[in-house]
């Protein structure tokens, strides 16, 4: 494990590729979050909503972005987190999580973060402020 303190502006964290999105991932997330909108779990309901198939909860994708910082939990914490949803995530999509250091001021590190699908299209873009202890 490397240290966040060694990062220089422009450096990237190790990318994380998630397993293909599965229906059970979304069912579990619905239970954990309380978001039971059927467009996330039932094919017919997604079709009725004019979607090409069920879509992942945006917050499921956003929550996964935190995995980029899990190995650094002893160094600090995510102080601020802001994102924009850029695209839908469908069953079997393979999402890759990315973060690069935008700037460093005192004990605060500002990262550009993104989640991209297997076609390289952004599904989420945003920023994380990581506070070092």
């Amino acid at each position: 494990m490397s240290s966040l303190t060694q990062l220089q502006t422009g450096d990237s964290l190790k990318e994380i590729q998630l397993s293909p999105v599965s229906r059970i991932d979304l069912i579990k997330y619905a239970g954990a979050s309380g978001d039971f909108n059927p467009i996330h779990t039932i094919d017919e309901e997604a079709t009725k909503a004019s979607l090409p198939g069920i879509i992942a909860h945006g917050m499921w994708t956003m929550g996964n972005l935190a995995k980029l910082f899990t190995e650094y939990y002893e160094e600090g914490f995510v102080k601020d987190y802001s994102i924009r949803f850029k695209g839908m995530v469908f069953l079997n999509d393979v999402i890759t999580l990315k973060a690069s250091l935008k700037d460093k001021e005192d004990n605060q590190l500002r990262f550009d973060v993104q989640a991209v699908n297997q076609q390289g299209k952004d599904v989420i873009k945003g920023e994380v402020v990581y506070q070092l202890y």
Side-chain angles (χ1 to χ4, degrees):
M1 174 172 109
S2 61
S3 170
L4 290 180
T5 58
Q6 298 167 339
L7 288 178
Q8 299 300 314
T9 302
D11 287 350
S12 294
L13 298 182
K14 184 179 73 181
E15 292 183 1
I16 295 175
Q17 188 176 79
L18 302 177
S19 299
V21 178
S22 71
R23 189 180 306 268
I24 198 70
D25 290 334
L26 304 182
I27 291 169
K28 287 178 183 177
Y29 186 81
S33 68
D35 181 350
F36 296 103
N37 186 325
I39 64 169
H40 301 303
T41 53
I42 301 170
D43 297 304
E44 297 77 25
E45 294 299 319
T47 303
K48 274 194 235 169
S50 301
L51 295 167
I54 67 173
I55 59 171
H57 306 72
M59 297 303 284
W60 176 86
T61 310
M62 182 177 167
N64 273 297
L65 273 172
K67 291 178 179 180
L68 289 161
F69 301 93
T70 303
E71 76 175 85
Y72 306 106
Y73 73 93
E74 292 178 345
E75 292 185 54
F77 59 95
V78 173
K79 181 178 180 180
D80 194 19
Y81 196 178
S82 62
I83 63 101
R84 287 202 175 276
F85 298 104
K86 306 291 278 180
M88 290 184 271
V89 175
F90 297 97
L91 283 184
N92 300 311
D93 277 359
V94 176
I95 303 300
T96 302
L97 312 172
K98 302 177 180 190
S100 62
L101 185 60
K102 184 177 185 175
D103 64 55
K104 200 176 192 176
E105 191 175 313
D106 301 321
N107 282 348
Q108 281 194 359
L109 307 176
R110 192 174 299 273
F111 290 89
D112 285 323
V113 294
Q114 66 187 130
V116 299
N117 66 17
Q118 65 277 8
Q119 280 99 32
K121 292 182 72 173
D122 289 332
V123 293
I124 282 182
K125 279 187 92 129
E127 186 176 275
V128 165
V129 176
Y130 195 89
Q131 179 72 48
L132 296 170
Y133 294 127

